[in-house]
């Protein structure tokens, strides 16, 4: 069982390494910055060889154009980077979505009044050079990618060459980087670039050599955009040189060299611990603190309610829903651990996530419906096929999807990038009793819905570690079309809660556009007309029973044909 510690028998030979003890404080990369904060805009991504020099020059430009308090707005950023202002606004909005704490002056990045702190902007631009981890042994599995869909795309890399179904059938899931692999890759990237990063945050003072660059405690805390301690301790509290500083007496600046030594030691300790854990795992010494326990692995004994066990000192704030097929899965707020959820490799299923969240990822799913109740920062949907996504969120990014329909309540333009085909967007189409409360909790405004205004970027993702063909970086991704209003229907979430306080679930908090509302009214009128006609039929009791039987039979046939009968069985089982 995933939630029990398996002790070896007394006579077992200690021939394999034992799992390392978790350090009291473990430095981790902030995954949100790397998972939701990268934009495939070429002018935001600088060659690694000139990265530090280019950003140092950019720092001077931005500082000269910055407003009060060192704030950079979209206009100044667009001028400095020579990009359209709409792309600069997108960058600031994305930055706002991945900051570790709300920046009241920046808000959600929609306006250009105060802008973002120049230090956050520089860190955001720095990690745009990050390249994602290559799938493990992908090059050794070439037969698995021979049957591609719908055509071979060199720039799309290994994973998107396979449809989600092919990905599962070829068992190539085992080649995908694990959560721990990706985190090690991110931490190694930060280890390599930490000296340059600290130089960007540092201030110049009189002195020679290493003593000429210093960091204030405030600038040091901005590193929290990239790294954090696993138990939630702030960086300045953990750092001996800033610990226990008097709030009324600002701490003295510390040399960048001193900070670099401290950061390097903590990163090295974390990487060493991760390496030892990996070695123990490969020796089948998996423990309850295993970072890579997925929902599918935890489902052995409790298929509906299991959650990954985790060591509190290495808590990830992520809930996984992974590997479900031909079933319905329901997650309420009480079932979600942390502030993020990942729905991975689910097929021919209906997934209900009825909880307030900050981040959500839907990856590698097919022939499924995924309902995301309220997401206050960002949703990312990637490598999905024939999936219906119903999401109420601040932002959504759609990449490398096929034949999917997105029913959206979003405060910002949906971002579309990658190799997409036959995408459709439609207004948000569902409700559940706690939805309005959840929207309020995470800050999603139901009076603003930009579902029909996709923001389209390029086909090529420069953050992919695999090589790309030359000359295609400016090719735009395929956009999404609006769903025909005649095909729009409300999605009814079954009332399985048993909650006497439930309110009707027909109160969609996002107002429907007039044309979609008109078609809904037309359908309701037609239904009411049919019901009235049936009620007014002059039939004897035998004919009434025959009519009722025929209607029930037709409804049952529809339930089976549509696959919705499975939902009834699954929910009845709950």
């Amino acid at each position: 069982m995933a939630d029990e510690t398996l002790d070896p028998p007394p006579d077992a030979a200690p021939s394999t390494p034992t799992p390392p003890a978790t350090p009291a404080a473990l430095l981790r990369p902030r995954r949100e910055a790397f998972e939701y904060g990268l934009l495939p805009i070429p002018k935001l991504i600088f060659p690694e060889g000139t990265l530090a020099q280019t950003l140092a020059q950019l720092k001077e430009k931005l500082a000269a154009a910055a407003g009060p308090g060192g704030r950079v707005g979209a206009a100044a950023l667009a001028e400095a980077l020579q990009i359209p202002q709409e792309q600069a606004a997108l960058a600031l909005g994305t930055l706002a979505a991945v900051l570790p704490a709300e920046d009241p002056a920046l808000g959600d990045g929609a306006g250009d009044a105060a802008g973002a702190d120049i230090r956050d902007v520089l860190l955001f631009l720095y990690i745009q050079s990050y390249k994602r981890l290559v799938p493990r042994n992908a090059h050794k599995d070439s037969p698995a990618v021979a049957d591609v869909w719908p055509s071979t795309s060199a720039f799309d890399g290994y994973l998107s060459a396979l449809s989600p179904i092919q990905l599962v059938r070829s068992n190539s899931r085992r080649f995908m980087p694990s959560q721990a692999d990706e985190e090690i890759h991110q931490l190694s990237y930060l280890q390599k670039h930490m000296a340059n990063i600290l130089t960007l945050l540092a201030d110049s003072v009189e002195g020679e050599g290493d003593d000429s660059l210093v960091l204030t405690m405030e600038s040091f805390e901005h590193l929290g955009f990239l790294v954090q301690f696993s138990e939630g301790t702030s960086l300045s509290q953990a750092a001996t040189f800033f610990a226990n500083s008097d709030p009324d007496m600002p701490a003295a600046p510390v040399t960048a060299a001193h900070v670099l030594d401290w950061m390097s030691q903590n990163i090295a300790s974390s990487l060493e611990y991760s390496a030892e854990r990996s070695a123990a795992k490969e020796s089948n010494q998996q423990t309850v603190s295993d970072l890579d326990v997925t929902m599918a692995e935890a489902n052995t004994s409790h298929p509906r309610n299991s959650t990954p066990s985790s060591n509190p000192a290495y808590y990830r704030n992520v809930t996984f829903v992974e590997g479900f097929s031909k079933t319905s899965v329901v997650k309420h707020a009480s079932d979600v651990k942390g502030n993020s959820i990942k729905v991975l490799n689910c097929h021919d299923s209906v997934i209900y996530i009825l909880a307030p969240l900050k981040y959500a990822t839907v990856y590698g799913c097919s022939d499924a419906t995924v309902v995301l109740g309220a997401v206050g920062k960002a949703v990312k949907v990637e490598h999905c096929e024939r999936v219906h996504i119903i999401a109420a969120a601040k932002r959504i990014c759609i990449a490398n999807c096929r034949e999917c329909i997105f029913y959206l309540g979003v405060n910002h333009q949906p971002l579309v990038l990658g190799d997409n085909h036959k995408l459709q967007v439609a207004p948000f189409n569902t409700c559940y009793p706690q939805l309005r409360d959840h929207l309020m909790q995470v800050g999603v405004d139901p009076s603003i819905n930009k579902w029909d205004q996709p923001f389209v970027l390029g086909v090529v993702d420069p953050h992919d570690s695999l090589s790309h063909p030359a000359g295609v970086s400016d090719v735009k991704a395929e956009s999404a079309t609006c769903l025909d209003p005649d095909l729009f229907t409300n999605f009814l979430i079954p009332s399985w809660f048993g909650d006497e306080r439930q309110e009707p679930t027909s109160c969609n908090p996002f107002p429907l556009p007039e044309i979609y509302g008109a078609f809904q009214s037309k359908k309701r009128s037609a239904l009411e007309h049919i019901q009235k006609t049936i009620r007014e039929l002059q039939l004897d009791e035998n004919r009434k029973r025959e009519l009722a039987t025929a209607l029930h039979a037709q409804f049952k046939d529809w339930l089976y044909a549509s696959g919705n009968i499975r939902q009834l069985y699954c929910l009845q089982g709950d």
Side-chain angles (χ1 to χ4, degrees):
M1 294 172 61
D3 52 8
E4 292 181 357
T5 302
L6 302 181
D7 296 322
D11 57 346
S15 57
T16 54
T18 57
T22 307
L26 200 62
L27 195 67
R28 297 171 43 207
R30 277 194 70 248
R31 297 180 57 84
E32 295 87 352
F34 295 97
E35 292 182 359
Y36 301 95
L38 303 181
L39 292 172
I41 299 176
K43 288 192 175 181
L44 265 61
I45 303 166
F46 309 112
E48 190 168 313
T50 61
L51 178 61
Q53 181 182 357
T54 304
L55 281 175
Q57 295 170 352
L58 187 65
K59 178 181 178 181
E60 294 180 5
K61 286 184 182 180
L62 292 176
R71 293 273 166 177
V72 178
L77 187 61
E79 176 65 25
L81 293 172
Q82 292 296 294
I83 59 175
Q85 189 160 333
E86 62 178 6
Q87 291 188 2
L90 172 65
L92 292 182
T94 303
L95 169 60
V98 295
L99 284 173
E102 296 289 342
D103 183 347
L106 177 59
D108 61 4
D112 193 17
D117 190 293
I118 189 173
R119 292 163 291 194
D120 292 330
V121 173
L122 291 170
L123 294 178
F124 174 78
L125 292 174
Y126 200 104
I127 64 169
Q128 299 303 314
S129 67
Y130 173 78
K131 289 188 180 296
R132 297 190 185 96
L133 186 59
V134 178
R136 295 171 289 184
N137 301 322
H139 60 286
K140 297 179 181 178
D141 198 39
S142 55
V145 298
D147 182 19
V148 296
W149 67 297
S151 61
T152 303
S153 302
F155 53 79
D156 222 6
Y158 169 74
L159 292 178
S160 58
L162 293 173
S163 75
I165 293 176
Q166 291 169 331
L167 190 66
V168 171
R169 289 177 178 171
S170 68
N171 199 27
S172 54
R173 173 74 177 96
R174 68 185 185 274
F175 296 124
M176 291 173 62
S178 69
Q179 297 286 307
D181 290 337
E182 290 178 350
E183 191 159 301
I184 291 171
H185 186 61
Q186 291 160 5
L187 203 53
S188 298
Y189 170 84
L190 294 175
Q191 182 184 46
K192 177 181 178 182
H193 293 277
M194 187 53 65
N196 292 337
I197 290 171
L198 292 177
T199 299
L200 284 175
L201 294 178
D203 297 318
S204 297
V205 296
E206 290 185 6
E208 296 182 2
D210 293 341
D211 294 335
S212 64
L213 292 176
V214 298
L215 269 83
T216 62
M217 187 170 75
E218 184 184 2
S219 292
F220 178 69
E221 280 288 2
H222 281 268
L223 280 177
F225 176 70
L226 300 176
V227 291
Q228 62 188 359
F229 279 100
S230 48
E231 75 281 8
T233 304
S234 71
L235 291 178
S236 58
Q237 287 176 325
T240 54
F241 40 82
F242 285 131
N244 302 317
S245 296
D246 184 349
D248 298 325
M249 183 70 68
V254 177
T255 64
H258 190 181
V259 176
L260 178 60
D261 287 343
W262 185 83
M263 291 295 298
S264 298
Q265 290 172 13
N266 278 278
I267 292 175
S269 296
S270 182
L271 288 173
E272 181 181 2
Y273 169 76
S274 299
E276 291 174 358
R277 273 202 65 267
S278 181
K281 182 180 176 184
E282 289 177 2
S283 301
N284 293 322
Q285 291 293 317
Q286 296 187 357
T287 70
V288 70
S289 62
D290 188 351
L291 305 183
D292 292 320
V293 175
T294 65
M295 185 63 72
E297 292 166 343
N299 279 341
T300 306
S301 55
H302 305 289
R304 289 299 169 87
N305 300 313
S306 296
T307 53
S309 299
S310 61
N311 188 316
Y314 215 76
Y315 187 49
R316 291 186 176 281
N317 289 328
V318 180
T319 295
F320 291 91
V321 178
E322 181 169 11
F324 286 97
S325 180
K326 298 182 183 298
T327 190
S328 294
V329 181
V330 184
K331 292 293 172 187
H332 304 296
S334 58
D335 303 317
V336 174
K337 309 304 179 186
N339 53 34
S340 300
I341 201 156
K342 292 192 175 185
V343 180
L344 309 174
N345 303 302
C346 293
H347 308 282
D348 201 9
S349 297
V350 181
I351 312 295
Y352 301 90
I353 310 297
L354 310 181
L357 299 160
K358 286 187 177 180
Y359 301 96
T361 294
V362 182
Y363 185 97
C365 298
S366 67
D367 300 287
T369 296
V370 181
V371 181
L372 299 172
V375 185
K377 293 290 188 180
V379 174
K380 188 167 188 179
V381 182
E382 195 171 11
H383 296 287
C384 289
E385 176 182 10
R386 297 187 304 278
V387 170
H388 289 193
I389 301 290
I390 303 172
K394 273 278 183 70
R395 298 178 177 276
I396 187 169
C397 174
I398 302 163
N400 304 308
C401 292
R402 311 305 201 251
E403 301 176 39
C404 295
I405 303 178
F406 297 84
Y407 296 90
L408 302 177
V410 287
N411 293 166
H412 296 274
Q413 293 176 266
L415 180 60
V416 180
L417 53 97
D419 186 13
N420 302 287
H421 293 278
K422 298 181 179 179
L423 302 184
Q424 296 182 82
V425 290
F428 192 73
N429 68 338
T430 194
C431 189
Y432 60 92
Q434 302 84 7
L435 178 56
R436 287 186 182 273
D437 288 341
H438 290 172
L439 292 174
M440 188 177 299
Q441 285 180 44
V442 300
V444 175
D445 185 352
S447 68
I448 301 172
N449 193 357
K450 299 188 177 182
W451 64 274
D452 58 345
Q453 303 172 40
F455 191 113
V456 182
L457 287 179
V459 169
V460 174
D461 185 354
H463 304 106
D464 192 332
S465 295
L466 302 176
S467 61
H468 308 297
V472 298
S473 60
D474 293 329
V475 175
K476 269 200 169 185
E478 181 180 312
S479 187
T481 59
C482 291
L483 181 71
D484 186 335
D486 195 34
L487 300 177
F488 178 84
T489 57
N490 284 317
F491 183 83
L492 182 63
I493 298 177
S495 299
W496 59 81
F497 302 104
D499 187 348
E500 297 297 331
R501 296 175 292 106
Q502 276 195 350
E503 61 188 58
T505 59
S506 59
C507 50
N508 185 341
F510 292 88
L512 277 181
E514 185 176 347
I515 187 171
Y516 286 88
F519 273 87
Q520 286 295 95
S521 298
K522 181 180 176 182
K523 290 178 181 178
R524 279 195 297 269
S525 298
L527 176 61
E528 290 170 359
H529 176 71
I530 292 172
Q531 291 173 332
K532 181 181 178 183
T533 302
I534 292 175
R535 283 195 300 267
E536 293 176 350
L537 286 175
Q538 301 298 319
L539 301 175
D540 58 34
E541 289 302 316
N542 288 335
R543 297 301 298 271
K544 284 182 179 179
R545 281 195 293 271
E546 288 176 6
L547 177 60
T549 300
L551 290 173
H552 288 156
Q554 289 292 325
F555 179 60
K556 190 174 181 180
D557 289 344
W558 174 82
L559 283 174
Y560 278 103
S562 65
N564 287 311
I565 190 68
R566 186 189 306 121
Q567 284 198 70
L568 295 182
Y569 288 140
C570 291
L571 297 173
Q572 190 177 37
D574 285 345

